[in-house]
Amino acid sequence: AGLADAERFDPAGIPADRSRAAHWDGPVFHDGRARGTQRDGRWLWLYKERSRWWALAGTDALLRRGGLWWVRQPRAWLLVHDGKPWAWRAFAEWNAQGLYQPDTGTEMVYSRDFRRVAVVVPGHGAQVYDARSGSLVASLPESAMPRRRRPGVPAADLIPPWDAERAAGPR
């Protein structure tokens, strides 16, 4: 099973089981702390360690926390949303918080009161939704979006001299 399959599965519905022997309990296979279930034709392995649930989705290990699945990426835990890893981050330029999808640059920026969420897609503008109902509140074309300063590569004179050769890259 992949991230999207795991995301749709809530292990809270799996009954506790004291038997260590491998057996089927309805649609769930139990084998000690390991559980297995079929999700849309794909197999999803789950493990319970104390009060924590873990899952194996493809090559990713996921952790269930706060009713959500989190996936470990290099140097960070990312939230699984719509089957993809998203980073929770602060958007300092808007004094807001939200999610950032590293692969696409898409941002979900919540209003300070968390009642509205803007989905900003690079090159396509933004859609603003009511966070509770999901209804569309407003659309902003790319041309109406405020210009945002993105961090760039440091100028060569800002690179320490002892690191200049490495910063120059391969020859």
Side-chain angles (χ1 to χ4, degrees):
L3 291 178
D5 302 307
E7 180 185 6
R8 289 189 302 268
F9 187 75
D10 183 357
I14 296 177
D17 198 347
R18 299 200 190 287
S19 175
R20 293 266 179 214
H23 66 281
W24 284 95
D25 192 3
V28 179
F29 178 74
H30 293 245
D31 189 1
R33 290 185 299 180
R35 307 287 191 270
T37 187
Q38 186 176 321
R39 308 301 321 152
D40 299 325
R42 292 180 283 279
W43 191 253
L44 177 65
W45 274 113
L46 300 146
Y47 299 89
K48 185 157 187 185
E49 182 181 337
R50 292 188 214 103
S51 63
R52 292 188 175 144
W53 279 101
W54 293 84
L56 292 177
T59 59
D60 296 310
L62 286 79
L63 171 66
R64 184 81 171 177
R65 181 155 175 105
L68 301 167
W69 286 106
W70 295 80
V71 62
R72 178 78 172 149
Q73 298 287 311
R75 300 180 305 236
W77 282 94
L78 301 181
L79 173 71
V80 177
H81 175 71
D82 285 341
K84 295 191 181 300
W86 290 71
W88 182 264
R89 63 168 281 210
F91 294 95
E93 65 272 21
W94 290 330
N95 191 22
Q97 298 179 53
L99 298 172
Y100 174 72
Q101 212 293 309
D103 291 344
T104 64
T106 300
E107 300 170 339
M108 292 176 57
V109 183
Y110 287 88
S111 61
R112 284 183 219 134
D113 62 4
F114 290 92
R115 291 183 179 181
R116 301 274 190 263
V117 60
V119 178
V120 183
V121 179
H124 297 282
Q127 303 286 317
V128 180
Y129 297 93
D130 179 282
R132 288 192 181 175
S133 70
S135 60
L136 182 66
V137 175
S139 293
L140 292 162
E142 184 73 14
S143 60
M145 295 292 295
R147 288 278 176 230
R148 296 170 63 198
R149 191 173 144 300
R150 298 279 185 202
V153 176
D157 59 338
L158 296 178
I159 298 172
W162 61 86
D163 211 20
E165 189 173 311
R166 189 175 76 198
R171 296 178 197 262

